Amino acid sequence: MSNTPMAASPLTRAVLEIDEYASGLGWDQPARLFALVDTARLRAQEPALAAQLGLEDEQETTGLTPIEQDEVPTNRPLDEFLGTIAWPDAVAGCALTVERLMLPPSAEAQVPQGLSEAKLAQWVADHPERQEVRMTVAVLRDGARESALRLREKDSATEVLTGPDLVPGLADALAATFED
């Protein structure tokens, strides 16, 4: 289904698969939440669902299958929403893809003090050096993390940055969904 490199870890492949999926939907999309399930376990325990997802013929014995969840509500803060999530044991991890505006580190000194959250968001949106970025962040129950960042101005699969610590705050929030 994906053009993701096979040399990557299963978590990296899942993150890049989600990034590829989100890329196909275009920009200006809402946040999307995914459960990550063990592909072999899914094929064994839910063969009908595996067939529906086109996984029945995959030869790979290790891997993670992203399953998109219901819409992420837009009427409440993302961190507040994530605080309401609890995953069943069959879910090995989760991932979130979200678009944000980002400023280069050189712009930090220019940020006006004392702005409300809404005014700060507007200031960033109006800043000439702003970048639109799509972040895909995934965590596993065992603590493993992976992220993919895609800039709108460099919207190409070859320009996607990956790494476990690119969006640590979001990874922490996702990891908290697995805490008891």
Side-chain angles (χ1 to χ4, degrees), residues 29-93:
Q29 296 292 313
R32 295 179 187 280
L33 181 66
F34 299 82
L36 300 176
V37 297
D38 179 271
T39 303
R41 184 175 174 184
L42 177 66
R43 282 197 309 259
Q45 295 180 352
E46 299 286 345
L49 178 57
Q52 183 180 352
L53 295 172
L55 302 173
E56 70 273 25
D57 294 330
E58 282 195 20
Q59 300 302 311
E60 190 177 343
T61 57
T62 63
L64 296 165
T65 299
I67 300 175
E68 189 170 0
Q69 304 302 291
D70 292 335
E71 280 188 27
V72 175
T74 56
N75 61 344
R76 65 195 294 192
L78 187 58
D79 58 342
E80 185 180 298
F81 166 70
L82 291 175
T84 67
I85 295 175
W87 298 101
D89 291 341
V91 175

Side-chain angles (χ1 to χ4, degrees), residues 109-148:
Q110 303 169 12
V111 177
Q113 299 299 312
L115 293 181
S116 69
E117 195 170 314
K119 289 191 185 291
L120 179 60
Q122 187 60 52
W123 184 85
V124 171
D126 293 339
H127 197 282
E129 294 179 81
R130 75 185 177 286
Q131 297 274 333
E132 290 180 73
V133 63
R134 181 181 302 118
M135 303 176 284
T136 303
V137 179
V139 299
L140 296 180
R141 283 184 187 274
D142 69 8
R145 297 170 175 216
E146 188 61 78
S147 306

